[in-house]
Amino acid sequence: MKLATPPTSTDWILSEDDFLPNHIEANGNKFLIGNGYMGLRGTLEEFGKEHLAACTLSGLYDQSGDKWREPVNAPHAYNLTLIVDGIELSTLKSELVQHSQQLDLANATHRRSTTYQLPSGKTIKLEINRFLSLDQKHLGVMQCRIEASEPCLVSVSSHISTDIWDINGPHLEAFKSDAMEGTLCLESHTVEKQITVVVASTIESSEELPFMCESATNMHLCEFKAEAGIEYSFCKYIATHTGVESHDPKAAAITTLETARSLGLDAIKESHDQAWKKRWTNSDVQIEGDEEAQNALRYSIYHLLIAAPENDHASIPARGLSGQVYKGAIFWDTEIFMLPFFDHTQPELARHLIQYRYHTLDGARRKAAENGFRGAFYAWESQETGDDACTFFNVTDVITGRPMRTYFRDKQIHISADVALAIWRHYQMTGDLSLLTEGGAEVILECARFFYSYASYKPERQRFELHDVVGPDEYHERVHNNAFTNAMVRASLQIALQITELLKAEEPQAYDTLIAKLSIAEELAGFEHMAANLYIPAPDKDTKIIEQFDGYFKLEDNRPESLKERLIHPNEYWGGGHGIATTTQVIKQADVVLMLHLFSEQYASEIKQANWEYYEPRTEHGSSLSPCVYALLAAELGKTEWAYKYFLRTATIDLTGKSKQFIGDLYIGGTHPAANGGAWMAAILGFAGLRTGGDTVQLNPQLPESWEQLSFRFAKLGQWFSVKITADQIEVTADATNAKAIEFDLSGDLLACEVGATIQTNR
């Protein structure tokens, strides 16, 4: 059995050619692999829970005692213990001749190669490739090869570990082992809901490597005498199933392994590679002239693709599938920062992400009712039911040691608006009316109902206002008339009205059924009245600056750099009741600037310019969501150098590890899929100037100076297009399989792109 040969191109390979113990935690994130159903941290096979080794399952949550609910990490089966001549070999304690760790972005394959030297002078080379099948979501594969320089006795073992890394666990109990015909099976149950979790494994090897099963230790074991210069290889298949998707997870796991053995490694790998090739065909972005930007952007896209589920009951958590951080919760990150990528390049996956919000609608309704409102108040931290996993005391004061009351859960009302806007924009991109009739319209109307219930009408001002909210800038809590929130709420109301008119015209029966189901007919006029009279903070007549919220300009005008001098502890939370930013104009992340990006067509360039220049020096970027927003607006304004700076900061966040690891004493490490989505947005919506919201697709590029060419694909209304942009030309080619022409605005030139045709313009 031969290992797959790595591609010769380095464009797709992320590599580290040394072993550095202080990189273990970071590399667990950096070399993460996944297939949407599970994520396997990039730890080495000899590592355990103390090194944060974990296989995190998508959409399966558990609560242990009164601790935070979080996703479940499966029993860990991607491990190997290697003993040669009685000496256990490990990167942590053995002498290394050579070591490298690689991630192949093209097919989400993790590779490690290590050559050990024994005290006797013998050398042992270990190579392991592993991947989580994109074609068979429940199957993982670990290929191993061992070669010795001299004859030696080798013991190889690999087990299914019950010693699992959990942040707020344990989450699994009642472990039951079984061994049958070379297959190990470990069955367990979640603590809270008694959901069955099964991990099973089998090993395919030659006659020279006779593996035995030990059910008492959940272990496959092989002992053999290795000859000099001979390669010994074997393959471990691992199946993971739960009671969420199967009535009999154990039988399903055994079937998965039987199928794997019958197909064989070559066929499994080929199907896996083809599935990844299909995804990359429409998702890849090619940058010529800037290798750093190319590699960082491709790496960002990779992290989006490995986290995307292929069912309607899960979504992408704030830290992807890199672990249990942030409770594995789904935030507004998905709708605002990740969905644009999926809408443009993977519309089917985007639909699953949208439908997740429909399946959690009842949880949003419960939250609204619990707070005294009608409609749907979506969770700040959403899990499988849509009920809010966020606690009222979310941060610990590192100075006093006391829990701090935060208002993320009960005052960030904009999440419902983010959901409504995302559904509408997906419809605009795809023209998929069934999304609206199969739940999307119901979600939007319930979000509008919530806002109508929440708002305050001020008769003396003849307008609606939104009081006691938290905007994206979480350093300032319980403010009135946050500009971003008010603009998003107005958009939600307008979308609700547009959808009712659309359904009334196109699907009258579905419209009548929905209106009757929600008993909402009398409220529609109220939505219209509120949309027309909701207060939206306007730009100052002289400065053009929009006040972020009522009273913001009265706060102390400071800058993040000088404010840091007031810190007593480096991990202090800057917001909350007495955070150092609370009484100042220093903000956590893009707020007004994000509003100006999302509703760019509603504001003149001079307004966007003035606000970018005002808020940029006052933004601490305490969230990974922030830099990409400044990149987007900077690119639109022609501030290409600034845009490029913020693009790189966004796109390299998981390569450099330069992000906040703690809020107070709360660990927030892991990957950053929202920033990854932001990197794509900065490149395509920013530098390429792509706008697809109207009937005419716009391309108005502002490329960084070093970018010789930018190439990408996208879909609009089911029609696919390939784009090439250089410093002096824009070229668009329609797929030959398209059904109709789409009109383009190429930097002011209006051209129809017919089926299979190419249009271009010189700049």
Side-chain angles (χ1 to χ4, degrees):
M1 184 186 303
K2 294 183 179 180
L3 297 180
T5 303
T8 56
S9 171
T10 59
D11 289 349
W12 294 83
I13 304 296
L14 177 67
S15 182
E16 186 168 292
D17 296 324
D18 197 2
F19 176 71
L20 301 172
N22 62 332
H23 284 195
I24 291 175
E25 186 271 332
N27 283 352
N29 302 318
K30 189 175 179 179
F31 292 95
L32 178 76
I33 60 174
N35 64 2
Y37 176 73
M38 50 190 167
L40 181 62
R41 289 178 60 79
T43 50
L44 300 179
E45 287 73 18
E46 59 265 40
F47 294 167
K49 73 174 187 179
E50 65 274 22
H51 308 106
L52 311 189
C55 182
T56 303
L57 303 180
S58 172
L60 178 61
Y61 297 88
D62 180 74
Q63 184 172 23
S64 179
D66 60 355
K67 301 175 184 177
W68 286 354
R69 294 185 90 244
E70 61 189 10
V72 172
N73 286 335
H76 190 54
Y78 299 85
N79 55 68
L80 187 89
T81 300
L82 177 62
I83 299 174
V84 178
D85 288 344
I87 300 172
E88 183 175 342
L89 302 182
S90 166
T91 49
L92 294 168
K93 57 187 178 182
S94 303
E95 183 175 348
L96 304 181
V97 177
Q98 168 272 335
H99 175 79
S100 67
Q101 186 172 3
Q102 290 186 340
L103 174 64
D104 188 343
L105 304 180
N107 54 18
T109 298
H110 178 276
R111 300 189 180 95
R112 71 86 61 88
S113 175
T114 309
T115 302
Y116 300 101
Q117 182 166 305
L118 276 64
S120 63
K122 297 178 183 178
T123 60
I124 306 294
K125 186 174 184 179
L126 172 68
E127 292 186 356
I128 301 178
N129 292 355
R130 66 191 191 208
F131 62 90
L132 303 175
S133 173
L134 190 63
D135 181 57
Q136 301 179 57
K137 292 298 191 302
H138 298 276
L139 178 66
V141 178
M142 193 168 81
Q143 307 165 262
C144 305
R145 182 174 68 187
I146 299 169
E147 182 179 343
S149 63
E150 300 177 41
C152 56
L153 292 174
V154 177
S155 172
V156 180
S157 61
S158 184
H159 62 292
I160 306 175
S161 176
T162 60
D163 199 19
I164 302 165
W165 171 49
D166 286 316
I167 296 178
N168 291 285
H171 295 297
L172 296 175
E173 61 183 10
F175 292 100
K176 181 181 178 182
S177 302
D178 195 6
M180 55 201 122
E181 298 180 357
T183 295
L184 285 173
C185 186
L186 180 65
E187 185 175 353
S188 58
H189 300 278
T190 60
V191 173
E192 180 188 5
K193 297 183 178 180
Q194 294 294 294
I195 297 172
T196 303
V197 175
V198 173
V199 176
S201 67
T202 189
I203 289 183
E204 187 177 42
S205 63
S206 62
E207 293 182 1
E208 293 83 6
L209 299 180
F211 276 86
M212 300 181 297
C213 284
E214 294 184 357
S215 62
T217 56
N218 309 311
M219 181 183 296
H220 283 102
L221 174 66
C222 179
E223 296 179 343
F224 65 98
K225 184 174 182 180
E227 300 296 333
I230 302 297
E231 295 178 359
Y232 298 88
S233 62
F234 61 93
C235 181
K236 182 178 182 181
Y237 298 124
I238 301 157
T240 304
H241 286 261
T242 78
V244 172
E245 69 277 346
S246 174
H247 294 297
D248 190 345
K250 183 177 180 180
I254 292 171
T255 299
T256 294
L257 294 182
E258 290 174 346
T259 301
R261 291 187 72 100
S262 64
L263 288 172
L265 177 61
D266 290 343
I268 293 169
K269 187 66 164 57
E270 175 64 20
S271 297
H272 170 76
D273 289 348
Q274 287 301 316
W276 269 106
K277 183 178 180 180
K278 182 179 178 182
R279 284 206 176 175
W280 278 115
T281 295
N282 291 328
S283 298
D284 191 30
V285 176
Q286 298 175 355
I287 300 170
E288 295 183 14
D290 189 340
E291 185 177 357
E292 180 182 13
Q294 172 68 87
N295 294 340
L297 181 55
R298 187 168 281 153
Y299 183 70
S300 295
I301 295 170
Y302 164 83
H303 274 288
L304 291 166
L305 294 175
I306 65 171
E310 293 189 25
N311 67 80
D312 296 345
H313 297 272
S315 187
I316 303 178
R319 289 292 183 263
L321 297 176
S322 64
Q324 298 163 324
V325 175
Y326 279 136
K327 311 179 187 79
I330 288 81
F331 289 71
W332 67 304
D333 305 25
T334 307
E335 280 72 28
I336 299 300
F337 296 91
M338 300 183 221
L339 261 169
F341 163 77
F342 290 104
D343 279 341
H344 286 79
T345 71
Q346 300 287 337
E348 291 182 5
L349 294 179
R351 197 182 199 280
H352 291 307
L353 298 175
I354 292 288
Q355 284 294 93
Y356 164 80
R357 292 299 188 179
Y358 174 63
H359 286 288
T360 55
L361 176 58
D362 284 344
R365 285 173 170 140
R366 285 191 290 270
K367 181 178 176 181
E370 288 166 4
N371 285 273
F373 305 110
R374 300 188 303 278
F377 183 4
Y378 272 91
W380 182 242
E381 296 182 351
S382 181
Q383 296 178 340
E384 80 276 34
T385 65
D387 295 284
D388 210 321
C390 185
T391 62
F392 292 114
F393 294 87
N394 225 30
V395 177
T396 299
D397 188 326
V398 294
I399 299 171
T400 66
R402 296 172 179 167
M404 296 171 59
R405 174 65 160 101
T406 57
Y407 294 88
F408 309 146
R409 173 189 174 116
D410 43 340
K411 303 300 179 184
Q412 297 222 42
I413 66 170
H414 68 80
I415 183 69
S416 289
D418 304 328
V419 170
L421 183 66
I423 294 172
W424 179 243
R425 291 194 168 182
H426 180 79
Y427 166 72
Q428 288 181 307
M429 281 291 297
T430 63
D432 182 6
L433 193 62
S434 70
L435 177 75
L436 303 180
T437 59
E438 294 173 11
E442 185 174 350
V443 169
I444 290 171
L445 288 174
E446 286 289 68
C447 289
R449 170 180 266 165
F450 165 66
F451 292 128
Y452 187 55
S453 171
Y454 187 94
S456 301
Y457 184 71
K458 300 296 180 181
E460 68 279 10
R461 298 174 184 170
Q462 295 186 324
R463 70 189 191 192
F464 288 88
E465 297 186 359
L466 296 170
H467 293 174
D468 198 14
V469 303
V470 179
D473 167 28
E474 295 166 349
Y475 289 166
H476 298 91
E477 299 180 331
R478 310 196 71 171
V479 302
H480 300 332
N481 294 316
N482 172 258
F484 170 86
T485 302
N486 286 29
M488 290 293 290
V489 169
R490 180 177 65 179
S492 300
L493 295 165
Q494 292 170 337
I495 289 167
L497 295 168
Q498 286 177 280
I499 280 181
T500 56
E501 292 302 314
L502 177 66
L503 292 183
K504 191 185 297 184
E506 301 292 334
E507 296 284 348
Q509 185 174 349
Y511 168 80
D512 291 339
T513 301
L514 180 60
I515 296 302
K517 175 184 178 181
L518 299 181
S519 300
I520 204 170
E522 294 182 1
E523 293 175 75
L524 295 178
F527 296 172
E528 187 172 6
H529 180 56
M530 182 176 164
N533 295 280
L534 178 61
Y535 169 58
I536 306 295
D540 182 86
K541 292 181 180 179
D542 298 321
T543 67
K544 310 299 182 186
I545 298 168
I546 299 168
E547 189 171 30
Q548 183 173 289
F549 54 80
D550 291 352
Y552 172 81
F553 290 147
K554 296 178 182 178
L555 300 176
E556 177 191 349
D557 193 5
N558 211 316
R559 301 293 185 276
E561 296 75 20
S562 61
L563 203 59
K564 285 181 182 178
E565 298 174 3
R566 301 179 186 178
L567 288 172
I568 299 173
H569 188 287
N571 291 339
E572 279 182 58
Y573 178 54
W574 285 33
H578 53 267
I580 59 172
T582 301
T583 58
T584 77
Q585 291 188 28
V586 172
I587 65 176
K588 179 182 180 182
Q589 65 197 79
D591 197 308
V592 169
V593 172
L594 177 56
M595 177 192 74
L596 293 173
H597 161 67
L598 291 173
F599 305 106
S600 176
E601 70 283 355
Q602 299 177 21
Y603 295 93
S605 293
E606 58 266 26
I607 293 173
K608 288 179 271 193
Q609 175 95 9
N611 282 273
W612 192 99
E613 293 178 353
Y614 184 84
Y615 284 106
E616 191 277 334
R618 292 166 175 80
T619 305
E620 190 249 343
H621 300 294
S623 167
S624 61
L625 310 181
S626 187
C628 69
V629 180
Y630 280 91
L632 282 160
L633 200 60
E636 182 183 345
L637 294 170
K639 295 175 173 287
T640 311
E641 290 185 13
W642 274 102
Y644 183 72
K645 165 190 166 184
Y646 277 123
F647 160 77
L648 274 187
R649 183 170 173 177
T650 298
T652 61
I653 188 170
D654 290 325
L655 290 169
T656 64
K658 292 180 179 178
S659 62
K660 281 190 175 181
Q661 300 298 302
F662 289 90
I663 295 178
D665 64 352
L666 178 65
Y667 175 64
I668 58 170
T671 57
H672 299 77
N676 302 143
W680 181 90
M681 288 197 298
I684 306 305
L685 309 185
F687 295 131
L690 177 65
R691 296 289 184 274
T692 54
D695 294 332
T696 299
V697 175
Q698 298 178 353
L699 281 163
N700 188 24
Q702 299 278 353
L703 296 189
E705 186 176 351
S706 62
W707 291 16
E708 298 170 4
Q709 182 171 292
L710 175 65
S711 305
F712 60 93
R713 282 174 59 77
F714 74 94
K716 169 72 174 180
L717 299 177
Q719 315 305 302
W720 285 93
F721 301 91
S722 298
V723 178
K724 291 182 181 179
I725 301 172
T726 63
D728 52 14
Q729 191 176 76
I730 307 170
E731 179 181 288
V732 179
T733 300
D735 281 11
T737 55
N738 285 357
K740 61 180 180 180
I742 296 286
E743 187 177 57
F744 279 78
D745 178 346
L746 305 183
S747 290
D749 290 345
L750 290 177
L751 300 167
C753 194
E754 302 289 344
V755 175
T758 296
I759 57 173
Q760 63 183 34
T761 187
N762 295 322
R763 302 166 62 202

mmCIF file of all heavy atoms in Angstrom, residues 664-693:
data_model
loop_
_atom_site.group_PDB
_atom_site.id
_atom_site.type_symbol
_atom_site.label_atom_id
_atom_site.label_comp_id
_atom_site.label_asym_id
_atom_site.label_seq_id
_atom_site.Cartn_x
_atom_site.Cartn_y
_atom_site.Cartn_z
ATOM 1 N N GLY A 664 -11.047 38.458 29.667
ATOM 2 C CA GLY A 664 -10.959 38.154 31.085
ATOM 3 C C GLY A 664 -10.185 36.862 31.238
ATOM 4 O O GLY A 664 -9.076 36.719 30.718
ATOM 5 N N ASP A 665 -10.776 35.877 31.944
ATOM 6 C CA ASP A 665 -10.115 34.578 32.057
ATOM 7 C C ASP A 665 -10.743 33.546 31.127
ATOM 8 O O ASP A 665 -10.487 32.354 31.242
ATOM 9 C CB ASP A 665 -10.162 34.086 33.505
ATOM 10 C CG ASP A 665 -11.583 33.826 33.990
ATOM 11 O OD1 ASP A 665 -12.534 34.171 33.263
ATOM 12 O OD2 ASP A 665 -11.740 33.276 35.097
ATOM 13 N N LEU A 666 -11.564 34.008 30.185
ATOM 14 C CA LEU A 666 -12.270 33.127 29.266
ATOM 15 C C LEU A 666 -11.418 32.865 28.026
ATOM 16 O O LEU A 666 -11.045 33.790 27.304
ATOM 17 C CB LEU A 666 -13.609 33.761 28.860
ATOM 18 C CG LEU A 666 -14.462 32.996 27.848
ATOM 19 C CD1 LEU A 666 -14.931 31.666 28.425
ATOM 20 C CD2 LEU A 666 -15.657 33.844 27.423
ATOM 21 N N TYR A 667 -11.106 31.593 27.766
ATOM 22 C CA TYR A 667 -10.312 31.221 26.603
ATOM 23 C C TYR A 667 -11.167 31.320 25.342
ATOM 24 O O TYR A 667 -12.262 30.765 25.280
ATOM 25 C CB TYR A 667 -9.783 29.794 26.759
ATOM 26 C CG TYR A 667 -9.044 29.267 25.552
ATOM 27 C CD1 TYR A 667 -7.853 29.848 25.127
ATOM 28 C CD2 TYR A 667 -9.539 28.190 24.826
ATOM 29 C CE1 TYR A 667 -7.171 29.367 24.022
ATOM 30 C CE2 TYR A 667 -8.867 27.693 23.717
ATOM 31 C CZ TYR A 667 -7.681 28.301 23.317
ATOM 32 O OH TYR A 667 -7.018 27.822 22.206
ATOM 33 N N ILE A 668 -10.687 32.045 24.357
ATOM 34 C CA ILE A 668 -11.444 32.234 23.109
ATOM 35 C C ILE A 668 -10.591 31.878 21.894
ATOM 36 O O ILE A 668 -10.786 32.384 20.801
ATOM 37 C CB ILE A 668 -11.976 33.678 22.982
ATOM 38 C CG1 ILE A 668 -10.822 34.696 23.027
ATOM 39 C CG2 ILE A 668 -13.002 33.975 24.052
ATOM 40 C CD1 ILE A 668 -11.257 36.101 22.655
ATOM 41 N N GLY A 669 -9.600 30.983 22.086
ATOM 42 C CA GLY A 669 -8.763 30.554 20.969
ATOM 43 C C GLY A 669 -9.540 29.696 19.993
ATOM 44 O O GLY A 669 -10.666 29.282 20.242
ATOM 45 N N GLY A 670 -8.928 29.390 18.867
ATOM 46 C CA GLY A 670 -9.586 28.598 17.829
ATOM 47 C C GLY A 670 -9.507 29.304 16.496
ATOM 48 O O GLY A 670 -8.861 30.353 16.356
ATOM 49 N N THR A 671 -10.152 28.738 15.495
ATOM 50 C CA THR A 671 -10.149 29.346 14.168
ATOM 51 C C THR A 671 -11.193 30.457 14.098
ATOM 52 O O THR A 671 -12.034 30.604 14.978
ATOM 53 C CB THR A 671 -10.432 28.294 13.085
ATOM 54 O OG1 THR A 671 -11.691 27.657 13.368
ATOM 55 C CG2 THR A 671 -9.326 27.241 13.061
ATOM 56 N N HIS A 672 -11.157 31.241 13.001
ATOM 57 C CA HIS A 672 -12.003 32.432 12.875
ATOM 58 C C HIS A 672 -12.714 32.450 11.525
ATOM 59 O O HIS A 672 -12.355 33.227 10.629
ATOM 60 C CB HIS A 672 -11.151 33.697 13.023
ATOM 61 C CG HIS A 672 -10.462 33.816 14.339
ATOM 62 N ND1 HIS A 672 -9.328 33.095 14.662
ATOM 63 C CD2 HIS A 672 -10.748 34.577 15.435
ATOM 64 C CE1 HIS A 672 -8.950 33.410 15.889
ATOM 65 N NE2 HIS A 672 -9.792 34.300 16.377
ATOM 66 N N PRO A 673 -13.732 31.598 11.346
ATOM 67 C CA PRO A 673 -14.384 31.537 10.030
ATOM 68 C C PRO A 673 -15.033 32.843 9.593
ATOM 69 O O PRO A 673 -15.149 33.093 8.388
ATOM 70 C CB PRO A 673 -15.420 30.418 10.193
ATOM 71 C CG PRO A 673 -15.572 30.232 11.667
ATOM 72 C CD PRO A 673 -14.265 30.595 12.276
ATOM 73 N N ALA A 674 -15.459 33.683 10.538
ATOM 74 C CA ALA A 674 -16.039 34.970 10.135
ATOM 75 C C ALA A 674 -14.975 35.859 9.508
ATOM 76 O O ALA A 674 -15.216 36.543 8.506
ATOM 77 C CB ALA A 674 -16.689 35.664 11.324
ATOM 78 N N ALA A 675 -13.786 35.862 10.100
ATOM 79 C CA ALA A 675 -12.678 36.610 9.501
ATOM 80 C C ALA A 675 -12.297 36.002 8.161
ATOM 81 O O ALA A 675 -11.949 36.715 7.207
ATOM 82 C CB ALA A 675 -11.474 36.624 10.446
ATOM 83 N N ASN A 676 -12.366 34.672 8.067
ATOM 84 C CA ASN A 676 -12.087 34.016 6.790
ATOM 85 C C ASN A 676 -13.077 34.473 5.725
ATOM 86 O O ASN A 676 -12.698 34.746 4.577
ATOM 87 C CB ASN A 676 -12.168 32.493 6.950
ATOM 88 C CG ASN A 676 -11.224 31.933 8.002
ATOM 89 O OD1 ASN A 676 -11.560 31.003 8.714
ATOM 90 N ND2 ASN A 676 -10.038 32.519 8.130
ATOM 91 N N GLY A 677 -14.349 34.553 6.107
ATOM 92 C CA GLY A 677 -15.348 35.077 5.180
ATOM 93 C C GLY A 677 -15.094 36.536 4.864
ATOM 94 O O GLY A 677 -15.297 36.982 3.725
ATOM 95 N N GLY A 678 -14.641 37.281 5.866
ATOM 96 C CA GLY A 678 -14.313 38.688 5.651
ATOM 97 C C GLY A 678 -13.176 38.879 4.673
ATOM 98 O O GLY A 678 -13.149 39.853 3.905
ATOM 99 N N ALA A 679 -12.217 37.951 4.679
ATOM 100 C CA ALA A 679 -11.103 38.032 3.727
ATOM 101 C C ALA A 679 -11.612 37.876 2.301
ATOM 102 O O ALA A 679 -11.195 38.606 1.386
ATOM 103 C CB ALA A 679 -10.064 36.961 4.049
ATOM 104 N N TRP A 680 -12.526 36.899 2.104
ATOM 105 C CA TRP A 680 -13.117 36.733 0.769
ATOM 106 C C TRP A 680 -13.889 37.990 0.379
ATOM 107 O O TRP A 680 -13.782 38.469 -0.763
ATOM 108 C CB TRP A 680 -14.034 35.514 0.749
ATOM 109 C CG TRP A 680 -14.664 35.268 -0.594
ATOM 110 C CD1 TRP A 680 -14.176 34.502 -1.604
ATOM 111 C CD2 TRP A 680 -15.894 35.836 -1.079
ATOM 112 N NE1 TRP A 680 -15.024 34.542 -2.690
ATOM 113 C CE2 TRP A 680 -16.087 35.359 -2.396
ATOM 114 C CE3 TRP A 680 -16.845 36.696 -0.531
ATOM 115 C CZ2 TRP A 680 -17.186 35.710 -3.166
ATOM 116 C CZ3 TRP A 680 -17.952 37.061 -1.299
ATOM 117 C CH2 TRP A 680 -18.116 36.560 -2.601
ATOM 118 N N MET A 681 -14.678 38.534 1.297
ATOM 119 C CA MET A 681 -15.443 39.745 0.986
ATOM 120 C C MET A 681 -14.523 40.897 0.621
ATOM 121 O O MET A 681 -14.799 41.659 -0.320
ATOM 122 C CB MET A 681 -16.326 40.128 2.177
ATOM 123 C CG MET A 681 -17.511 39.222 2.396
ATOM 124 S SD MET A 681 -18.781 39.958 3.477
ATOM 125 C CE MET A 681 -17.884 40.163 5.006
ATOM 126 N N ALA A 682 -13.428 41.059 1.374
ATOM 127 C CA ALA A 682 -12.505 42.158 1.094
ATOM 128 C C ALA A 682 -11.918 42.029 -0.309
ATOM 129 O O ALA A 682 -11.756 43.022 -1.027
ATOM 130 C CB ALA A 682 -11.400 42.202 2.145
ATOM 131 N N ALA A 683 -11.597 40.791 -0.710
ATOM 132 C CA ALA A 683 -11.003 40.576 -2.033
ATOM 133 C C ALA A 683 -12.018 40.754 -3.154
ATOM 134 O O ALA A 683 -11.735 41.430 -4.159
ATOM 135 C CB ALA A 683 -10.388 39.176 -2.099
ATOM 136 N N ILE A 684 -13.215 40.162 -3.009
ATOM 137 C CA ILE A 684 -14.174 40.105 -4.112
ATOM 138 C C ILE A 684 -15.154 41.274 -4.090
ATOM 139 O O ILE A 684 -15.386 41.937 -5.106
ATOM 140 C CB ILE A 684 -14.932 38.766 -4.101
ATOM 141 C CG1 ILE A 684 -13.935 37.595 -4.107
ATOM 142 C CG2 ILE A 684 -15.870 38.688 -5.284
ATOM 143 C CD1 ILE A 684 -12.926 37.629 -5.240
ATOM 144 N N LEU A 685 -15.742 41.551 -2.930
ATOM 145 C CA LEU A 685 -16.662 42.684 -2.842
ATOM 146 C C LEU A 685 -15.907 43.996 -2.701
ATOM 147 O O LEU A 685 -16.428 45.056 -3.072
ATOM 148 C CB LEU A 685 -17.614 42.506 -1.649
ATOM 149 C CG LEU A 685 -18.359 41.164 -1.557
ATOM 150 C CD1 LEU A 685 -19.343 41.187 -0.393
ATOM 151 C CD2 LEU A 685 -19.064 40.840 -2.855
ATOM 152 N N GLY A 686 -14.687 43.906 -2.184
ATOM 153 C CA GLY A 686 -13.875 45.104 -2.005
ATOM 154 C C GLY A 686 -13.007 45.406 -3.209
ATOM 155 O O GLY A 686 -13.308 46.285 -4.017
ATOM 156 N N PHE A 687 -11.924 44.670 -3.377
ATOM 157 C CA PHE A 687 -10.964 44.961 -4.449
ATOM 158 C C PHE A 687 -11.556 44.738 -5.846
ATOM 159 O O PHE A 687 -11.258 45.490 -6.772
ATOM 160 C CB PHE A 687 -9.703 44.119 -4.274
ATOM 161 C CG PHE A 687 -8.932 44.441 -3.021
ATOM 162 C CD1 PHE A 687 -8.507 43.437 -2.167
ATOM 163 C CD2 PHE A 687 -8.643 45.754 -2.683
ATOM 164 C CE1 PHE A 687 -7.801 43.726 -1.018
ATOM 165 C CE2 PHE A 687 -7.941 46.063 -1.532
ATOM 166 C CZ PHE A 687 -7.529 45.041 -0.690
ATOM 167 N N ALA A 688 -12.383 43.697 -6.012
ATOM 168 C CA ALA A 688 -13.004 43.474 -7.322
ATOM 169 C C ALA A 688 -14.219 44.372 -7.523
ATOM 170 O O ALA A 688 -14.661 44.571 -8.657
ATOM 171 C CB ALA A 688 -13.418 42.013 -7.475
ATOM 172 N N GLY A 689 -14.772 44.887 -6.425
ATOM 173 C CA GLY A 689 -15.931 45.770 -6.522
ATOM 174 C C GLY A 689 -17.176 45.083 -7.034
ATOM 175 O O GLY A 689 -18.003 45.693 -7.719
ATOM 176 N N LEU A 690 -17.342 43.789 -6.702
ATOM 177 C CA LEU A 690 -18.492 43.033 -7.178
ATOM 178 C C LEU A 690 -19.740 43.395 -6.379
ATOM 179 O O LEU A 690 -19.730 43.374 -5.153
ATOM 180 C CB LEU A 690 -18.223 41.531 -7.054
ATOM 181 C CG LEU A 690 -19.370 40.588 -7.446
ATOM 182 C CD1 LEU A 690 -19.678 40.700 -8.932
ATOM 183 C CD2 LEU A 690 -19.029 39.154 -7.075
ATOM 184 N N ARG A 691 -20.827 43.722 -7.084
ATOM 185 C CA ARG A 691 -22.119 43.982 -6.468
ATOM 186 C C ARG A 691 -23.185 43.220 -7.251
ATOM 187 O O ARG A 691 -23.325 43.409 -8.465
ATOM 188 C CB ARG A 691 -22.452 45.484 -6.480
ATOM 189 C CG ARG A 691 -21.511 46.348 -5.659
ATOM 190 C CD ARG A 691 -21.695 46.136 -4.162
ATOM 191 N NE ARG A 691 -20.850 47.024 -3.368
ATOM 192 C CZ ARG A 691 -19.587 46.762 -3.025
ATOM 193 N NH1 ARG A 691 -19.027 45.627 -3.425
ATOM 194 N NH2 ARG A 691 -18.893 47.621 -2.306
ATOM 195 N N THR A 692 -23.928 42.373 -6.563
ATOM 196 C CA THR A 692 -24.888 41.511 -7.243
ATOM 197 C C THR A 692 -26.318 41.715 -6.747
ATOM 198 O O THR A 692 -27.210 40.938 -7.096
ATOM 199 C CB THR A 692 -24.507 40.031 -7.028
ATOM 200 O OG1 THR A 692 -24.392 39.780 -5.616
ATOM 201 C CG2 THR A 692 -23.193 39.699 -7.712
ATOM 202 N N GLY A 693 -26.553 42.741 -5.937
ATOM 203 C CA GLY A 693 -27.860 42.922 -5.320
ATOM 204 C C GLY A 693 -28.957 43.380 -6.258
ATOM 205 O O GLY A 693 -30.129 43.089 -6.035
#
